[in-house]
Structures are given as C-alpha cells and as structure tokens.
Amino acid sequence: MIRKLASRVNRALLGSPQYVATQLDLEEPFVQQPADAPGTLLRIRPYKENQGVVDGASLLQSVHDVTTNFRGKNTSDHHSFEVWYDQGKIAFYMHAATEAAADKFRRRVGNSYANSEVFPVEDGYAFPVIEPDEYVAGAWMEMEKMPYYPIRHHNAEGWETDPYGEITSEMLSTEESKVVTQVVFRPAKQTWTDGDRFKHNGVDDLAHSLRQGTSVGWLNPTTRPATAKDKEAAKTIEQQRGSQAFHVNIRILAISDSPDEAEARARGVAGMYRKYYNATTEQGLTDNPVWHHQDRFRVRRFRNHIQRMVERDWLDRRMIMTVDELAGVAHIPNDDIETPKIDWRYTQRGDRIPADAARFDDASDVQEHFQSVTEDPQESVSGDPGESVPEEPIEG
C-alpha cells in the first residue's frame, strides 16, 4: 500500500513511466557465457505437432515440487521459461536452477512435447549479447488486482487463439535486433488460497464478499446487490481452492541499434501480455517500463533489470498464477501460430543435439567488466534521489 501511494505521488510529480531506449555506457560487449550462468540453460526445438498450451499445463504440473523448511517456509527453487528473438530466429529456452532440475526438465519436456529436442546450451551465449552502441528498452509485468482474480487462460471463456502468436509476432525485428521475454516461476504451497491467518482474506472470503454485493457512496453508503457478473467472478475465484499455483515474474527486454525499434518492440510485446485480460474477473497484466526521468538513474535501472534477467532472479511481487494461467504465458506453442522465423524441429529423430544447431566461437568473458560498471544493486534501488516508479526490489 505504501509503495503504491509513493508511486502515485511520484507519477503526479514526475510523470508516468515511459518506454525510453537507453544506452548502457558499456566499453565492451556484454556477454554471458553458459559457464557463468547460474544453474543450467536448456534450448528447446519444438516439434510443430503438439498440443501447445495444454501440453504446457501438463509440464508445469509435473515440475510443481514444493519444498519447505522446518518452519513451513517455502524454500522451493525458481526456474524460468524464455523466448528469444536473436540472430533472426525465435527460439525457446528453459532455465533450471540445478542440474537435477535440468535433468527432470529434459525428461518432462520430452514426455509432454513428443519429438521435441532439448539440450543444454554449452556453446555460444546464455543471454543475447548487448553491444556498446546498442539501445535497450524493457519492462516488467504485474497483476492489476490481487492474484485470486485469475487472468484469461485456456480453460476459461475468451480463449480463442494462442496469444503467443501475437507475442512472437511483436518480437520479430531487424536481423541485428534482439528481444527477450522471461517468465520466472516458483511453486507455491497448496495453502496459497487461504489468505492471511487472521485477516479472513482467502478465496472463500473474497467469493462470499462478492456475493453480498458492493458498498457504494460516501456520505450515505448503500449496498448494491451482486450482479450476475459478480456471482460468476465469485464462482471462478472459489474454484481455485486447492489448485496448484506458482509465484511468477515476467520481464521483457528489447535490444537494437535503433532506439525507436527498441522502444517499439518492448512496448509492443508488453501490449500483447495485456491481452490476457479476463473480462469476468476484470483481472489483467499491466506493464511497468524500466524508466527514470534522469538519464544516469535510468541507466542504473536498466543495469539492474538486465542483471536480474541474466541471474534469473525471482522477486516476490505478490503475483501468483494457477497452472492453467501460467501455461498461457509460459508454454511451447504449436503450428497454430503462424509467426515466421521460429526455430521448429521438422523431423522425428531421437532426442539429440541437431547437426544444424548453431555453434559459436568462444567470446571473451566480459562479465566481470559488466559487473564492475554496475553500481551496487541495493544502493541503486534505495539511494536514488527523486525516484519515480521503484525498480523491482532486491531481496536481502
């Protein structure tokens, strides 16, 4: 609440966040080698004949492994699903926090998406390269309302076509440009729908409140009877009790030698995520551009944003999605989408590294250089005078 109030004050004083392409003041290219990335990055070349989001839901169910400590605190690992537009192609990746998780993902992806290829990224890069003269633009997504109100998904009304068709189409750019969407997910405990222990704000409480109608008016408040839409929303919310769910972060980054192209791609992709709006629950995703009204602070925020993406960080943004919801924003599509330049697999060979998989020469490791020019992340969030919209908080 305090954070939202501060955000509104800053917006009133400094204006709303904008998509402003920015250069990072790098002296050398930013490169992340696979050996320097945390965990294991897996490349997926999907076979076009699959069930798309339905298979994605099955995959997520199979990796919903919650671990807790002796106090019952959720200590589960977080992983990510990523779509890259790089070197003129759209490719799919999964990042596993541990080798054991990577082995599980390989097997589960193979089971859920028959004939698809899954292999660890050992050559090339673990994140698209950022050249010193390139511009970056980006955003992160949040839910408009509390997570008990679900977004649009494939097992609800309003899901007519796979939104990935529009998302991947918006990612297409010039051969030199790059675009990344990253969905970091962490399994939630089964009690996620219970609410706080003493606040009576679980899904049952919310559903009951919706059925009781809405209080309107200030001086002489009255209760407006529940509408058919309120009752339908209450039913939808109530049905989530006991569902498997994940804590989620969604990040977007566009890289281009053209500032206009970087801004257009970041804004366009974020706009496609906003189409997951659920008319019944009035829940949707809203974008937060990486922005600051002062150039030097905006550069610092972009460095933080990129560092979180390459580290595959998860932050508690109070953003929870059921398996069906998450499958909609993190799945391997099928040939229902007509986006060109997708790196499909066209044969039904065994699960091995393809002969035509891209190979690269080893690039010089400039990770230490990038970190040296990046200010202390904690300081960059809390120490900027005149901050407008807060950057994603850094835990610890």
Side-chain angles (χ1 to χ4, degrees):
M1 182 64 70
I2 295 176
R3 182 182 173 190
K4 287 186 176 180
L5 179 60
S7 175
R8 289 175 182 173
V9 172
N10 283 326
R11 288 187 185 209
L13 294 174
L14 304 172
S16 299
Q18 305 292 325
Y19 285 93
V20 179
T22 304
Q23 289 183 320
L24 298 176
D25 298 331
L26 298 175
E27 295 181 1
E28 300 178 60
F30 167 58
V31 178
Q32 186 187 47
Q33 302 284 3
D36 297 325
T40 301
L41 184 64
L42 300 172
R43 173 77 172 269
I44 303 171
R45 296 188 73 219
Y47 189 64
K48 295 179 72 172
E49 296 179 11
N50 65 71
Q51 296 188 75
V53 66
V54 175
D55 287 339
S58 298
L59 172 63
L60 290 169
Q61 285 179 325
S62 70
V63 298
H64 189 276
D65 300 322
V66 179
T67 59
T68 57
N69 62 15
F70 69 97
R71 293 181 178 177
K73 181 179 179 180
N74 191 344
T75 58
S76 306
D77 289 325
H78 55 271
H79 315 284
S80 73
F81 178 81
E82 302 175 12
V83 184
W84 298 9
Y85 174 77
D86 190 15
Q87 299 184 2
K89 286 187 176 182
I90 290 178
F92 304 94
Y93 295 84
M94 288 193 74
H95 176 267
T98 64
E99 290 186 9
D103 182 62
K104 177 182 292 186
F105 283 155
R106 285 193 68 172
R107 289 183 281 108
R108 299 291 168 81
V109 171
N111 291 338
S112 297
Y113 291 91
N115 297 311
S116 294
E117 264 175 326
V118 188
F119 52 93
V121 176
E122 297 174 343
D123 299 321
Y125 310 115
F127 197 80
V129 176
I130 305 175
E131 300 289 346
D133 61 345
E134 290 184 315
Y135 293 84
V136 295
W140 70 93
M141 308 300 295
E142 288 184 311
M143 284 182 161
E144 293 184 2
K145 303 169 73 172
M146 64 186 301
Y148 293 155
Y149 293 86
I151 62 173
R152 181 164 61 98
H153 58 82
H154 71 103
N155 273 333
E157 292 184 8
W159 185 278
E160 298 174 356
T161 59
D162 188 346
Y164 259 38
E166 294 178 310
I167 291 175
T168 53
S169 293
E170 279 294 329
M171 294 177 72
L172 293 178
S173 184
T174 63
E175 290 284 336
E176 296 76 21
S177 299
K178 290 145 277 191
V179 183
V180 179
T181 64
Q182 181 183 82
V183 180
V184 181
F185 56 94
R186 178 180 187 239
K189 297 194 297 184
Q190 289 297 110
T191 56
W192 72 276
T193 57
D194 292 352
D196 297 322
R197 185 173 183 180
F198 300 108
K199 291 185 178 181
H200 304 290
N201 59 352
V203 292
D204 292 334
D205 302 300
L206 179 57
H208 176 74
S209 177
L210 286 171
R211 292 190 177 102
Q212 298 308 303
T214 304
S215 178
V216 295
W218 288 90
L219 296 177
N220 297 303
T222 59
T223 300
R224 174 181 61 78
T227 65
K229 186 176 181 179
D230 291 333
K231 295 176 182 178
E232 183 63 27
K235 179 181 178 181
T236 301
I237 291 167
E238 209 169 38
Q239 288 174 341
Q240 295 179 109
R241 190 195 311 111
S243 298
Q244 291 181 331
F246 292 84
H247 301 276
V248 180
N249 292 165
I250 301 177
R251 300 185 179 104
I252 300 164
L253 183 70
I255 307 162
S256 180
D257 56 5
S258 164
D260 292 340
E261 183 66 13
E263 292 172 12
R265 297 284 65 75
R267 184 186 299 108
V269 171
M272 294 304 103
Y273 278 109
R274 290 198 299 269
K275 292 193 174 184
Y276 285 86
Y277 181 80
N278 186 321
T280 299
T281 61
E282 299 181 354
Q283 173 72 294
L285 299 174
T286 181
D287 56 320
N288 295 275
V290 180
W291 182 83
H292 196 281
H293 67 286
Q294 294 186 28
D295 291 346
R296 64 191 181 100
F297 293 136
R298 190 166 64 250
V299 169
R300 187 180 297 181
R301 289 192 166 202
F302 269 110
R303 288 172 175 169
N304 290 337
H305 185 72
I306 294 167
Q307 198 65 38
R308 290 185 177 98
M309 292 187 77
V310 300
E311 295 295 330
R312 277 75 185 185
D313 280 349
W314 171 79
L315 300 170
D316 187 1
R317 304 193 64 80
R318 300 185 181 277
M319 190 171 178
I320 303 175
M321 295 183 183
T322 63
V323 166
D324 286 337
E325 291 176 86
L326 180 57
V329 299
H331 67 274
I332 300 168
N334 56 22
D335 55 6
D336 285 347
I337 69 172
E338 300 178 354
T339 308
K341 300 185 179 180
I342 290 180
D343 187 22
W344 297 111
R345 178 177 177 177
Y346 294 96
T347 65
Q348 299 187 44
R349 297 173 298 177
D351 186 15
R352 63 182 178 84
I353 299 178
D356 58 344
R359 298 281 180 173
F360 305 89
D361 295 329
D362 288 339
S364 59
D365 186 357
V366 296
Q367 183 72 20
E368 293 183 2
H369 163 75
F370 183 82
Q371 292 177 342
S372 70
V373 299
T374 304
E375 289 86 353
D376 176 33
Q378 182 68 33
E379 179 180 312
S380 68
V381 172
S382 60
D384 292 354
E387 289 271 14
S388 55
V389 180
E391 179 64 35
E392 297 176 313
I394 296 178
E395 295 182 315

